[in-house]
């Protein structure tokens, strides 16, 4: 009976969704929500949009939750990151120190103001619960649901916001038919923890709503760090070739950004923006990507089906699938070889925690990936970037910065240009910021905790053995900085240029004190030759790689 009620409620709410207003008056001339056959509703451009201007600026959403691994290094309220998970030199992090919440000891705050604001707005309701489940903190999506339940029970969510949230697509009418699932257990668990008066069916629907509508809490310099639900953003459909991205302006990554005197009223109200990845024509559907754009076509489609219950038919999925089929036809043995190679790298990576030398073994198998360079389809459709990223993170954890640099350069030169829309795509920006951090470490511009000059020499020696000299490193660091600057200048993420200025200044200071300036006279030709050698790219292909990358 309860299931029937919930089914009817769900259908009413889906119908009502058409009547709910998701768009603030100030954006009524820019975007509109319309129905689309087989997609529900979607958002369309009311006018042409320039790649250089943000489309809309949005406030801190009602509900968000930080990934458990970020809790100890991120202010729970203003979300500044005070140190990275990786042993880098803390580039791009705030200098503030965090203090534990005395109650749950899970949330941490950068200031008294953040703590007090968070306490009154939401934390006093969840603090006791976090203390109770401290050893088994629920995953971010369930913590986001818990927060909505707690706030709704206490009338802390304005009625129109509640209508927007509760009218979002839940797919409950499909999922409810699948019988008692573990989602019901989770809903019961949340009801119990929150001592809520809400029905289990309603909490279950909120879980479904979260699953189908939350997006990643973004930061261009630290990668995704949790989830958030913003009702307007939840109206945008997905494309693996999106024309929009989520952008966190640089000032939101500073301690107490919301209260900063130097910010305009508009900036103080802005937590994130939707920015175009290219120029957009009036009438085009506006899409974001729900999945990490670097994963393989099959992994993307599986996630979209499992979590969002639709089959993606975007142009990129179609062309990726066609390209894969074509490649298997033309080179029947290649996919098998690639699979074997992936397994070999994966096998070594799987052993790293027991045997640190496995990282080097994985790295040397990875370095032999050059036999696949002539088949870019492998990069655009397969798992190559994910594997390269895993090697990079493992290498950073064990301070093998030479290994990390070699692999991130592969991603920068060979992989991302072939698969990402927009040179200022957040995935590109994240890769470049991370790469600059690594450059800074191997050049001794920033020395991570636990390292010393001898280690810097060791990394440089190893890179030199792979073909990249210190002067080459300096050349490419500068070139990558200039590339990042150009990408940002022609985008709506120009505020991040400040971070490039900071890096430029630090590099100049160090290069002056170390007298590196002279070494650059070896010239671009030798630096390019070195990079070709490191990446094992043939000379004929190099100009194409450089053109595609735009470096
Ligand atoms: C976050 S909502 C997007 C807005 C939704 N279309 C609506 O009407 O409210 C996600 C849901 O929209 C639908 N959707 C999003 N992108 C789609 C696409 N490319 N093709 C088909 N359905 C899509 C799926 O049902 C998905 O679970």
């Amino acid at each position: 009976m309860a299931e029937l009620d919930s089914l009817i409620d769900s259908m009413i709410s889906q119908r009502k969704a058409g009547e709910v207003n998701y768009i603030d008056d100030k954006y009524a001339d820019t975007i509109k929500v319309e129905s689309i056959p087989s997609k529900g509703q979607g958002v369309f451009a009311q006018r042409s949009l320039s790649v250089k201007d943000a489309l809309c600026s949005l406030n801190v959403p009602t509900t968000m939750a930080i990934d458990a691994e970020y809790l100890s290094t991120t202010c729970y309220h203003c979300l500044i990151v005070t140190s990275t998970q990786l042993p880098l030199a803390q580039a791009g992090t705030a200098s503030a120190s965090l203090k534990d919440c005395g109650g749950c000891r899970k949330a941490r705050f950068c200031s008294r103001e953040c703590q007090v604001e968070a306490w009154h707005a939401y934390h006093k309701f969840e603090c006791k619960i976090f203390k109770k489940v401290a050893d088994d903190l629920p995953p971010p999506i369930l913590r986001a649901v818990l927060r909505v339940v707690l706030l709704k029970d206490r009338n802390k969510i304005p009625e129109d916001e509640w209508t927007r949230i509760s009218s979002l697509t839940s797919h409950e009418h499909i999922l409810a038919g699948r019988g008692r699932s573990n989602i019901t257990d989770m809903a019961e668990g949340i009801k119990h923890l929150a001592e809520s008066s809400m029905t289990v069916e309603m909490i279950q629907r909120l879980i479904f709503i979260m699953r189908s509508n939350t997006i990643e809490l973004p930061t261009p310099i630290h990668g995704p760090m949790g989830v958030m639900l913003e009702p307007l953003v939840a109206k945008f459909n997905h494309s693996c070739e999106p024309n929009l991205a989520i952008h966190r302006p640089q000032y939101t990554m500073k301690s107490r950004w919301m209260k900063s005197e130097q910010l305009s009223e508009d900036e103080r109200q802005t937590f994130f923006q939707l920015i175009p990845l290219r120029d957009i024509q009036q009438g085009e559907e506006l899409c974001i990507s729900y999945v990490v754009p670097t994963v393989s076509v099959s992994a993307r489609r599986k996630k979209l089906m499992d979590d969002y219950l639709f089959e993606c038919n975007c142009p990129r999925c179609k062309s990726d699938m066609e390209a894969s089929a074509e490649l298997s036809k033309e080179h029947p043995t290649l996919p098998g070889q690639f699979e074997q190679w992936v397994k070999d790298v994966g096998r070594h990576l799987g052993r790293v925690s027991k045997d640190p030398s496995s990282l080097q073994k994985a790295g040397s198998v990875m370095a032999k990936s050059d036999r696949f360079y002539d088949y870019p389809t492998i990069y655009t459709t397969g798992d190559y970037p994910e594997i390269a990223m895993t090697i990079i993170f493992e290498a950073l954890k064990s301070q093998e910065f030479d290994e990390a640099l070699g692999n991130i350069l592969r991603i920068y030169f060979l992989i991302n240009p072939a698969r990402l829309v927009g040179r200022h795509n957040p995935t590109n920006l994240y890769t470049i910021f991370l790469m600059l951090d690594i450059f800074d470490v191997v050049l001794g511009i920033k020395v991570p905790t636990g390292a010393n000059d001898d280690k810097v020499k060791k990394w440089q020696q190893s890179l030199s053995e792979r073909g990249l000299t210190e002067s080459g490193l300096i050349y490419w660091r500068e070139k990558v900085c200039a590339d990042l600057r150009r990408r940002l200048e022609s985008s709506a993420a120009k505020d991040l240029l400040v971070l490039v200025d900071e890096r430029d200044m630090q590099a100049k200071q160090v290069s002056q004190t170390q007298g590196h300036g002279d070494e650059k006279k070896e010239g671009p030709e030798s630096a390019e030759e070195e990079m070709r050698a490191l990446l094992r790219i043939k000379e004929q292909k190099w100009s194409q790689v450089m053109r595609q990358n735009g470096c």
Side-chain angles (χ1 to χ4, degrees):
M1 193 58 200
E3 282 198 358
L4 185 63
D5 283 351
S6 133
L7 178 60
I8 293 167
D9 271 7
S10 154
M11 289 167 96
I12 293 171
S13 82
Q14 304 289 329
R15 205 174 54 234
K16 275 206 295 196
E19 297 149 24
V20 178
N21 184 16
Y22 283 92
I23 297 178
D24 195 287
D25 285 351
K26 67 179 171 184
Y27 298 119
D29 294 340
T30 310
I31 47 177
K32 65 176 172 191
V33 172
E34 278 194 354
S35 295
I36 315 169
S38 78
K39 284 193 190 174
Q41 294 180 311
V43 185
F44 290 80
Q46 290 266 55
R47 56 177 176 81
S48 55
L49 304 165
S50 160
V51 68
K52 295 194 174 183
D53 300 318
L55 182 79
C56 51
S57 301
L58 297 156
N59 206 332
V60 179
T62 306
T63 188
M64 53 187 180
I66 304 173
D67 288 340
E69 76 234 53
Y70 279 97
L71 280 171
S72 61
T73 50
T74 308
C75 173
Y76 196 64
H77 190 55
C78 71
L79 298 182
I80 60 146
V81 177
T82 56
S83 65
T84 57
Q85 306 302 303
L86 303 168
L88 293 181
Q90 315 288 307
T93 57
S95 55
S97 59
L98 300 178
K99 286 207 179 70
D100 283 350
C101 161
C104 63
R105 304 217 170 267
K106 282 285 163 195
R108 308 194 77 205
F109 297 96
C110 69
S111 62
R112 178 98 188 117
E113 287 153 290
C114 271
Q115 185 164 20
V116 171
E117 247 179 52
W119 183 256
H120 291 298
Y122 52 85
H123 192 55
K124 67 176 163 192
F125 313 124
E126 57 188 23
C127 183
K128 263 194 245 142
I129 300 176
F130 285 3
K131 191 172 176 186
K132 220 190 285 176
V133 295
D135 294 335
D136 197 12
L137 210 58
I141 292 244
L142 294 187
R143 273 185 275 132
V145 174
L146 178 68
R147 186 173 302 172
V148 175
V149 170
L150 291 165
L151 294 178
K152 175 66 183 154
D153 275 347
R154 288 156 182 84
N155 288 326
K156 294 272 183 190
I157 302 183
E159 206 45 48
D160 55 349
E161 180 74 354
W162 173 249
T163 309
R164 281 191 212 118
I165 294 176
S166 58
S167 306
L168 288 170
T169 302
S170 67
H171 293 304
E172 198 189 8
H173 51 294
I174 302 175
L175 298 166
R178 296 188 184 167
R180 192 185 157 88
S181 61
N182 62 353
I183 301 273
T184 314
D185 296 339
M186 290 175 197
E188 280 169 355
I190 290 178
K191 182 172 168 66
H192 172 73
L193 282 175
E195 297 175 15
S196 174
S197 56
M198 212 179 262
T199 63
V200 170
E201 286 73 27
M202 187 63 221
I203 300 176
Q204 183 171 299
R205 187 190 308 161
L206 283 175
I207 298 176
F208 288 134
I209 287 176
M210 288 296 168
R211 262 182 55 166
S212 298
N213 293 279
T214 47
I215 54 163
E216 281 165 346
L217 246 180
T219 52
I221 49 176
H222 305 299
M225 50 188 283
V227 294
M228 68 177 181
L229 178 75
E230 209 296 326
L232 169 60
V233 177
K235 288 296 166 203
F236 289 79
N237 286 316
H238 162 88
S239 170
C240 301
E241 220 166 42
N243 48 14
L244 289 188
I246 309 282
H247 169 61
R248 284 263 310 277
Q250 163 293 110
Y251 54 81
T252 68
M253 287 177 265
K254 291 204 166 133
S255 180
R256 300 306 307 143
W257 58 273
M258 287 163 80
K259 291 262 163 73
S260 168
E261 300 295 317
Q262 289 112 38
L263 298 180
S264 68
E265 184 53 29
D266 219 30
E267 286 171 331
R268 248 176 287 169
Q269 298 300 326
T270 300
F271 176 61
F272 69 101
Q273 298 177 317
L274 287 170
I275 59 167
L277 287 171
R278 56 169 171 78
D279 289 334
I280 296 172
Q281 312 256 309
Q282 181 181 6
E284 267 189 70
E285 188 188 1
L286 300 169
C287 292
I288 54 175
S289 176
Y290 298 173
V291 291
V292 186
T294 46
V295 298
S296 68
V297 58
S298 51
R300 292 197 311 265
R301 287 165 67 82
K302 181 172 180 332
K303 177 148 179 71
L304 292 168
M305 183 48 91
D306 289 353
D307 289 1
Y308 301 92
L309 300 180
F310 73 92
E311 187 165 274
C312 189
N313 287 314
C314 75
R316 184 176 156 203
C317 278
K318 277 192 186 149
S319 76
D320 277 3
M321 285 189 301
E322 277 164 20
S324 289
E326 193 84 352
L327 185 70
S328 315
K329 226 169 31 194
E330 279 177 18
H331 303 279
T333 56
L334 200 65
Q337 283 173 19
F338 184 70
E339 220 171 277
Q340 186 54 46
W341 174 83
V342 169
K343 270 194 204 140
D344 290 348
V345 181
R347 202 182 52 244
H348 292 306
L349 279 178
R351 288 197 201 129
V352 171
S353 55
K354 287 194 200 111
D355 169 15
S357 75
S358 300
L359 180 68
Q360 262 159 7
K361 291 178 194 150
S364 62
V365 180
M366 192 76 188
K368 289 188 191 129
S369 60
D370 52 340
R371 76 189 119 136
F372 302 115
Y373 285 173
D374 290 331
Y375 308 100
T377 303
I378 294 273
Y379 305 132
T380 53
T381 62
D383 289 318
Y384 189 103
E386 291 304 292
I387 302 169
M389 226 42 196
T390 311
I391 292 208
I392 292 163
F393 287 130
E394 287 298 339
L396 293 178
K397 275 192 229 153
S398 50
Q399 299 208 332
E400 310 271 352
F401 288 94
D402 42 342
E403 191 62 55
L405 188 66
N407 282 291
I408 203 154
L409 283 165
R410 278 195 192 105
I411 293 187
Y412 171 72
F413 278 109
L414 298 169
I415 299 168
N416 283 1
R419 52 166 57 212
L420 297 177
V421 193
R423 283 170 43 74
H424 61 288
N425 188 306
T427 305
N428 267 330
L429 298 185
Y430 174 63
T431 305
I432 300 175
F433 276 117
L434 184 62
M435 180 162 66
L436 285 173
D437 280 350
I438 302 173
F439 263 116
D440 286 357
V441 172
V442 295
L443 279 168
I445 293 172
K446 287 182 183 165
V447 181
T449 325
N452 52 24
D453 285 354
D454 288 346
K455 282 231 170 131
V456 173
K457 279 198 195 104
K458 189 185 128 246
W459 296 320
Q460 289 187 0
Q461 176 64 31
S462 153
L463 283 164
S464 161
E465 279 159 19
R466 294 168 188 222
L468 204 55
T469 60
E470 191 181 358
S471 59
L473 286 168
I474 293 167
Y475 173 88
W476 283 109
R477 188 199 174 283
E478 262 183 41
K479 193 125 170 106
V480 169
C481 252
D483 175 37
L484 178 57
R485 188 177 288 285
R486 279 195 303 274
R487 288 174 194 246
L488 294 175
E489 273 167 355
S490 53
S491 80
K494 285 184 260 317
D495 52 270
L496 297 181
L497 280 167
V498 181
L499 303 176
V500 186
D501 292 343
E502 279 170 13
R503 282 176 162 85
D504 265 348
M505 218 156 58
Q506 282 155 350
K508 268 190 199 112
Q509 280 166 1
V510 171
S511 129
Q512 271 161 11
T513 52
Q514 295 184 348
H516 283 157
D518 292 343
E519 294 174 40
K520 266 182 283 172
K521 65 176 180 278
E522 284 174 28
E525 288 83 12
S526 68
E528 292 203 9
E529 225 175 274
E530 289 181 11
M531 187 57 74
R532 273 207 313 271
L534 181 93
L535 299 176
R536 301 176 193 231
I537 298 176
K538 294 184 192 97
E539 203 174 338
Q540 315 84 288
K541 204 166 172 243
W542 179 243
S543 55
Q544 185 199 337
V545 169
M546 292 285 278
R547 207 175 40 250
Q548 262 190 346
N549 184 284
C551 180

